[in-house]
């Protein structure tokens, strides 16, 4: 990895005092080693997400705010705020399903890294370890849905029945966020 | 002198970036942003006069029921605000803010319209009739899926613009009736809101569904001079899309005759 870091701050309005940073990589070739390092803890405190189920910054921000809310009320289901972000993306209350679907896997081709109150140097170091192409975490959901594996999104979030060729990106986002939210309801 | 203090109102929840929009008997509604989207936060606050254990249970049950009803409505093909997040600790339901105007504001604007034709006074132009038909169809879709809204009024339907130019028409103050009436159903999407009293119909659900329609009819009659004509458009579309319209509309006749009170439980 070379060049400028394309770090973007996610809008987590309910927690204005926290700085949430995200970086996205595509065409990743060393997911297996990143996964190993993430699990050993040598990457420090961050969430390493498989990019194929991430459909935009809103989804990321809301998963992060769910984690921060759980942290604030001492009701984290997982060990840390960062692992809770992975859990926050999941429509299932199963922790293992959440990590299997939303965490980095050996076969991940795209990755999204999220830091809460991350240190700039540490972020740079981690990004340097990823073999892939860094792309900006744009605000545009359309762009994200090009990169995401929409068939997997439909399957994991169980929204296939509500989708057809004409379903707007706004509606897909609504369906996904609803599935995430309804896990707690 | 002994003083009796009024029960202290529960303090407003502090939600960064959100401001209070409205207060009801059960909840306060705040407006703000969530994940970069315009959002509403509906906070069911503590009711001090209820036993705490019961209060917590009821607030949790109502918050969860509303979120589920919204998801169920969407699955039935009825446009509703998206559920963004549910905070089951503080009992806050975060929803997408629906832009646009209420059906009530729309109908009131229509009153300012001078219609010059031979159909007679107190009727509505075709575009408005199509909007009302969309309302009737959405109610039928909900009822076909056994979702009873529980609080159908002309304020609980939003007309959402489908394009920026449509949005500009809806944003003008005061509303321009002639520009508004030029918008057809391809420009406006009917969005049903406030599922706070929604429930799943019990047994055949006829009574609940008929009362749903009756309550809306009363809302029309109490606010709009062309109510009869307008509500007929709602009912016509309802009958067309409803799976057991004969039974529901038959029951509506009964409810009209006696009022909705028979169904008052809890």
């Amino acid at each position: 990895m070379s060049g400028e870091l394309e770090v973007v701050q996610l809008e987590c309005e309910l927690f204005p005092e926290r700085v949430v940073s995200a970086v996205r990589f595509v065409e990743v070739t060393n997911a297996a080693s990143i996964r190993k390092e993430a699990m050993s803890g040598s990457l420090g405190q961050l969430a390493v997400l498989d990019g194929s189920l991430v459909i935009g910054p809103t989804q990321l921000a809301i998963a992060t705010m769910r984690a921060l809310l759980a942290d604030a009320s001492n009701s984290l289901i997982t060990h840390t705020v960062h692992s809770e972000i992975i859990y926050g993306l999941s429509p299932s209350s199963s922790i293992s399903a959440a990590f299997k679907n939303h965490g980095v896997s050996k076969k991940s081709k795209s990755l999204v890294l999220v830091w809460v109150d991350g240190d700039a140097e540490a972020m740079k170091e981690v990004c340097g370890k990823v073999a892939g192409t860094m792309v900006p975490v744009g605000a545009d959901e359309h762009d994200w849905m090009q990169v995401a594996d929409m068939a997997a999104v439909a399957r994991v979030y169980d929204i296939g029945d509500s989708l057809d060729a004409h379903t707007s990106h706004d509606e897909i986002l609504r369906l996904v966020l609803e599935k995430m939210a309804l896990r707690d309801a | 002198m002994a003083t009796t203090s009024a029960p202290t109102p529960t303090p407003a929840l502090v939600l960064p970036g959100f401001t209070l929009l409205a207060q009801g008997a059960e909840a306060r509604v705040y407006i703000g942003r969530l994940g970069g989207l315009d959002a509403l936060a509906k906070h069911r606050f503590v009711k001090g006069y209820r036993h705490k254990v019961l209060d917590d249970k009821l607030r949790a049950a109502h918050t969860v029921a509303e979120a589920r009803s919204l998801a169920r409505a969407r699955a039935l093909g009825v446009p509703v605000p998206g559920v963004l997040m549910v905070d089951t600790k503080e009992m806050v339901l975060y929803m997408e803010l629906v832009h646009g105007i209420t059906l009530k504001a729309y109908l009131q604007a229509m009153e300012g319209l001078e219609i010059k034709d031979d159909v007679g006074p107190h009727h509505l132009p075709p575009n408005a009739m199509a909007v009302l038909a969309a309302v009737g169809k959405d109610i039928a879709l909900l009822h076909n899926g056994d979702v009873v809204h529980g609080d159908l009024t002309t304020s609980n339907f939003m007309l959402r613009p489908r394009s920026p130019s449509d949005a500009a028409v809806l944003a003008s103050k005061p509303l321009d009736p002639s520009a508004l009436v030029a918008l057809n159903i391809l420009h406006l999407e009917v969005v049903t809101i406030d599922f706070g009293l929604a429930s799943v119909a019990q047994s055949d659900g006829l009574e609940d569904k008929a009362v749903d329609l009756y309550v809306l009819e009363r809302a029309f009659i109490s606010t709009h001079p062309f109510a009869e004509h307008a509500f007929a458009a709602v009912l016509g579309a309802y009958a067309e899309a409803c799976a057991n319209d004969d039974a529901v509309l038959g029951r509506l006749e009964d409810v009209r005759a006696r009022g909705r009170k028979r169904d008052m439980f809890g």
Side-chain angles (χ1 to χ4, degrees):
Chain A
M1 228 305 297
S2 61
E4 280 297 295
L5 283 193
E6 305 263 15
V7 181
V8 166
Q9 314 300 340
L10 292 178
E11 293 183 74
C12 291
E13 298 88 345
L14 295 178
F15 297 89
E17 73 285 4
R18 311 301 286 268
V19 179
V20 181
S21 315
V23 178
R24 175 166 65 146
F25 288 92
V26 296
E27 295 158 5
V28 175
T29 54
N30 66 339
S33 78
I34 294 296
R35 177 173 181 273
K36 207 169 163 188
E37 285 211 54
M39 288 174 72
S40 74
S42 65
L43 298 181
Q45 291 293 313
L46 81 163
V48 186
L49 310 172
D50 185 298
S52 57
L53 296 178
V54 179
I55 59 164
T58 298
Q59 181 202 20
L60 284 175
I62 287 181
T64 305
M65 285 189 277
R66 295 178 73 178
L68 291 169
L69 275 177
D71 188 37
S73 61
N74 289 319
S75 54
L76 287 177
I77 303 291
T78 61
H79 288 298
T80 69
V81 170
H82 288 99
S83 55
E84 197 81 3
I85 295 172
I86 300 175
Y87 186 58
L89 282 171
S90 178
S92 157
S93 52
S94 153
I95 297 173
S96 63
F99 278 77
K100 181 172 154 284
N101 290 324
H102 303 275
V104 54
S105 79
K106 288 175 198 164
K107 291 181 193 161
S108 294
K109 291 276 175 274
S110 64
L111 294 178
V112 177
L113 312 181
V114 181
W115 289 267
V116 176
D117 298 332
D119 169 77
E121 279 307 306
M123 292 195 274
K124 201 171 170 186
E125 197 186 321
V126 172
C127 288
K129 292 181 176 178
V130 179
T133 308
M134 189 180 261
V135 287
V137 177
D140 191 353
E141 256 92 19
H142 303 254
D143 155 48
W144 282 82
M145 291 190 202
Q146 302 296 323
V147 175
D149 178 347
M150 296 311 287
V153 169
R155 175 172 47 78
V156 169
Y157 286 101
D158 190 21
I159 56 173
D161 290 349
S162 306
L163 299 184
D164 60 41
H166 308 293
T167 311
S168 69
H169 287 166
D170 282 355
E171 188 67 8
I172 295 173
L173 180 63
R174 279 187 199 111
L175 288 162
V176 166
L177 294 177
E178 209 153 76
K179 290 291 181 171
M180 284 163 51
L182 267 283
R183 183 189 74 198
D184 296 339
Chain B
M1 197 179 80
T3 56
T4 51
S5 59
T8 354
T10 50
L13 188 68
V14 178
L15 297 172
F18 280 77
T19 53
L20 187 64
L21 181 72
Q23 157 129 26
E26 280 213 5
R28 294 190 182 98
V29 176
Y30 301 83
I31 188 168
R33 306 262 300 167
L34 199 76
L37 303 177
D38 290 331
L40 286 183
K42 184 167 181 176
H43 175 223
R44 286 186 163 78
F45 47 77
V46 173
K47 293 195 157 191
Y49 57 82
R50 279 199 299 231
H51 187 279
K52 183 169 185 319
V53 174
L54 176 67
D55 186 56
D56 286 352
K57 270 196 178 177
L58 284 174
R59 292 188 302 126
H62 292 161
T63 303
V64 165
E66 183 167 2
R68 286 190 186 146
S69 295
L70 284 164
R72 192 167 172 147
R74 178 182 316 290
L76 293 168
V78 179
V80 294
V83 176
L84 303 179
M85 195 164 79
V86 185
D87 178 351
T88 50
K89 292 287 180 302
E90 293 286 352
M91 316 301 179
V92 188
L93 176 61
Y94 293 90
M95 289 169 283
E96 167 194 19
L97 173 72
V98 178
H99 293 280
I101 59 170
T102 63
L103 177 62
K104 184 175 184 173
Y106 178 80
L107 292 174
Q108 280 167 349
M110 291 295 134
E111 287 168 27
L113 205 62
E114 254 190 79
I115 298 167
K116 297 192 184 80
D117 60 25
D118 51 8
V119 185
H122 300 327
H123 76 284
L124 288 161
N127 281 346
M129 294 300 272
V131 165
L132 292 162
V135 168
K137 185 187 171 196
D138 284 348
I139 302 170
L141 293 178
L142 289 175
H143 286 183
N144 286 347
D146 278 331
V147 174
V148 174
H149 182 280
D151 190 20
L152 291 179
T153 65
T154 48
S155 300
N156 280 342
F157 293 96
M158 295 294 294
L159 304 184
R160 174 160 66 190
R162 294 192 199 256
S163 79
S165 63
D166 302 332
V169 173
L170 298 192
S172 71
K173 280 177 186 158
L175 287 164
D176 174 0
S178 49
L180 201 55
V181 80
L183 300 182
N184 64 27
I185 202 71
L186 298 175
H187 297 269
L188 302 173
E189 181 178 31
V190 173
V191 183
T192 309
I193 62 167
D194 194 356
F195 281 69
L197 294 175
S199 58
V200 175
Q202 298 304 308
S203 62
D204 64 2
L206 283 182
E207 181 73 17
D208 292 344
K209 293 172 188 176
V211 169
D212 237 9
L213 293 173
Y214 178 71
V215 169
L216 182 60
E217 183 176 44
R218 301 305 304 174
F220 267 88
I221 290 170
S222 63
T223 42
H224 308 293
F226 38 68
E228 214 173 301
H229 177 65
F231 193 68
V234 174
L235 276 192
Y238 178 88
E240 211 166 289
C242 180
N244 59 343
D245 55 302
D246 287 347
V248 178
L249 296 181
R251 184 65 71 93
L252 177 60
E253 290 295 329
D254 301 345
V255 178
R256 278 177 183 145
R258 68 171 142 81
R260 73 185 163 88
K261 291 292 182 182
R262 195 194 85 158
D263 200 42
M264 289 292 281
F265 31 61

